[in-house]
Each structure stands twice: as C-alpha cells, then as structure tokens.
Amino acid sequence: MVSKNQIKLIISLQQKKIRNSEKLFVVEGEKGIQEFLKSELSLEHLYITEPIFNDVPLLKKSLISEAILKKISSLTSPNNCLALFHIPEEKPIQTSGLIIALDTIRDPGNLGTIIRLCDWFGVSQIVCSSETVDAFNPKVVQATMGSITRVKINYIDLPAFISKTTLPVYGTFMDSASIYSTNLPKNAVLIMGNEANGISSKIESLITERITIPRFGESQQTESLNVATATAIILSEFRRR
C-alpha cells in the first residue's frame, strides 16, 4: 500500500526545491531502475504493479495499482514501476582528464543526452553552472538511461572554476579554428553553451582555445547545431586523437 502522504511526496519531487530539501529523486521504468540498483546510489523505496525486482527487500518495495502508478508518474504512459533514490553527495572535482563544463543548458533532454554521451566516451565528470537544469529532474534522469549513475556531476560557480584551472579551456564558436585541424589534448575543459545564446560573455573571456565544427553544406545557411549533437561530434574528435 501507499499512503496519501507518500503519493503527495512522490508527485512533489517533480519540483527542484523539493528534491533538494528531501534529497530524493524519481526513476521510472524497469530497465532504468535496474541500472540504479546496480550502482552505488541508495534506494529509498520501490513501487511496482507486478511482482518484479525479487532481490529488493520487502520492506523497500510496495505493490500498487496501475491507477496509483499513473497518478504518481510523470510519464504519459507509465511503465510498471517507479523508484525513489537518494541524491548522492557531490564529490571533489578532479583536475585532470577531459572535463565537460555546461554553461546554462536549459533543456532536460539535452542535459540527459550529454550525460549519456560522457558515459559513452569515457568522460567521468561534468561541471555545470548554477543556471543549468537540475541533473535529477525526472526528464533528465529518463534521458540518461542510467548513465547518470556513472558520471560525476557538480554544480559550481563556473567562471570562478574556469579562472582557476590550469587546464586549457576550449569553447565552441562559429568563427573559429576547425576542430579537425586543432590540437586536442587529453587534459582539458570543454565549454558547451546555452541552446539559444551560446557561451556567455563572462565565460567567453576566460576561454583559451576557440574551436568550431565546420559546415560542409553548399548553402552554408544552417545557423547552428543542437548542443547535444555538437557535444557528440566534439567528444568523438577528442577521443579519436
């Protein structure tokens, strides 16, 4: 069974301020939940509409109706399960390797895809400006397909971090050197900017290496690439070297 207070709590976790105060977030779908159960993240409770996840202790799971699941789910077509996990404590930022820095990424799908790309390309950490969408937003979590359990994410004062780092700082701009002819080291910070406005002027002034993904189309009229698509191309090129 699930109480009215539990239902109210689960629904309220769609709000960032409640997630932050309760230190909990929602994961939906059997495959996604399985990824989180295999990770170091701590399960608060599991809600299921059928007898699955037999390895989860009985005290940690509740059998609920499909009607209740639909009520507490943020999905248009809910699966057969929903789980609450504890938000992990942020870990110290490493000072080596390739670090992705996100400057005011607003779209949950873009952030989720970027987290998944980092997992694919072996980038272990992302640093985000405070204005970037919350990594534990249900839409972000859904889009990562479990990759958020393997990529470290920190929300920081991004200009302060960049100004102090000793690593080269790469930023993407339309009028810069082609990424295909630029030296790309193993240790660097890569800035990816806002969907509509790109990299903010405050952070742009701190960038040491300006790069671009050149356009090959004959018309040369395409304005820009989606930030997640651009991240995929750039990470692929960094790793290819």
Side-chain angles (χ1 to χ4, degrees):
M1 293 292 292
V2 55
S3 69
K4 288 183 179 180
N5 284 338
Q6 287 173 310
I7 291 172
K8 185 178 178 181
L9 171 63
I10 296 166
I11 294 172
S12 71
L13 289 174
Q14 294 183 34
Q15 302 174 55
K16 180 181 176 180
K17 65 179 182 179
I18 305 299
R19 291 194 297 274
N20 287 343
S21 63
E22 298 293 332
K23 300 296 182 185
L24 294 171
F25 69 100
V26 174
V27 183
E28 297 198 54
E30 193 169 345
K31 187 175 180 181
I33 291 172
Q34 197 66 258
E35 288 284 336
F36 281 84
L37 289 174
K38 290 189 297 184
S39 75
E40 296 178 354
L41 274 67
S42 174
L43 173 69
E44 169 68 13
H45 205 80
L46 175 64
Y47 301 91
I48 53 177
T49 60
E50 54 188 273
I52 51 178
F53 295 109
N54 295 327
D55 292 337
V56 175
L58 290 175
L59 289 174
K60 285 279 188 178
K61 61 184 177 182
S62 298
L63 191 63
I64 62 173
S65 67
E66 290 184 6
I68 292 295
L69 180 62
K70 190 169 184 179
K71 190 172 184 178
I72 61 177
S73 173
S74 62
L75 301 177
T76 306
S77 301
N79 291 282
N80 55 356
C81 50
L82 178 151
L84 303 185
F85 283 86
H86 292 271
I87 294 176
E89 293 292 328
E90 290 189 352
K91 296 179 181 178
I93 300 169
Q94 296 174 6
T95 55
S96 62
L98 182 57
I99 301 170
I100 301 299
L102 303 181
D103 181 12
T104 319
I105 299 299
R106 297 290 195 185
D107 183 82
N110 282 337
L111 177 55
T113 302
I114 290 170
I115 293 169
R116 197 174 174 203
L117 286 166
C118 286
D119 187 23
W120 182 269
F121 286 105
V123 176
S124 63
Q125 57 185 344
I126 298 173
V127 293
C128 303
S129 66
S130 57
E131 298 82 10
T132 292
V133 62
D134 179 27
F136 295 100
N137 176 304
K139 292 180 180 178
V140 176
V141 173
Q142 200 74 18
T144 72
M145 298 182 70
S147 287
I148 197 172
T149 64
R150 295 180 289 273
V151 178
K152 183 171 64 179
I153 302 164
N154 292 71
Y155 284 80
I156 59 172
D157 181 337
L158 198 52
F161 169 77
I162 296 168
S163 65
K164 291 176 183 176
T165 186
T166 58
L167 298 174
V169 180
Y170 286 75
T172 52
F173 301 91
M174 293 297 290
D175 56 344
S176 303
S178 169
I179 187 174
Y180 303 121
S181 58
T182 303
N183 178 47
L184 301 175
K186 290 183 178 179
N187 301 307
V189 177
L190 171 63
I191 312 288
M192 300 304 297
N194 174 262
E195 292 89 343
N197 303 312
I199 295 171
S200 62
S201 57
K202 191 172 184 180
I203 290 178
E204 181 180 353
S205 64
L206 300 170
I207 287 170
T208 58
E209 307 290 338
R210 297 169 67 99
I211 55 174
T212 192
I213 301 168
R215 291 178 293 190
F216 292 95
E218 288 185 11
S219 68
Q220 297 287 297
Q221 292 182 20
T222 306
E223 275 193 20
S224 63
L225 289 173
N226 168 275
V227 65
T229 301
T231 302
I233 294 169
I234 296 169
L235 287 182
S236 178
E237 192 63 13
F238 263 92
R239 290 313 192 206
R240 188 181 71 84
R241 305 294 178 87

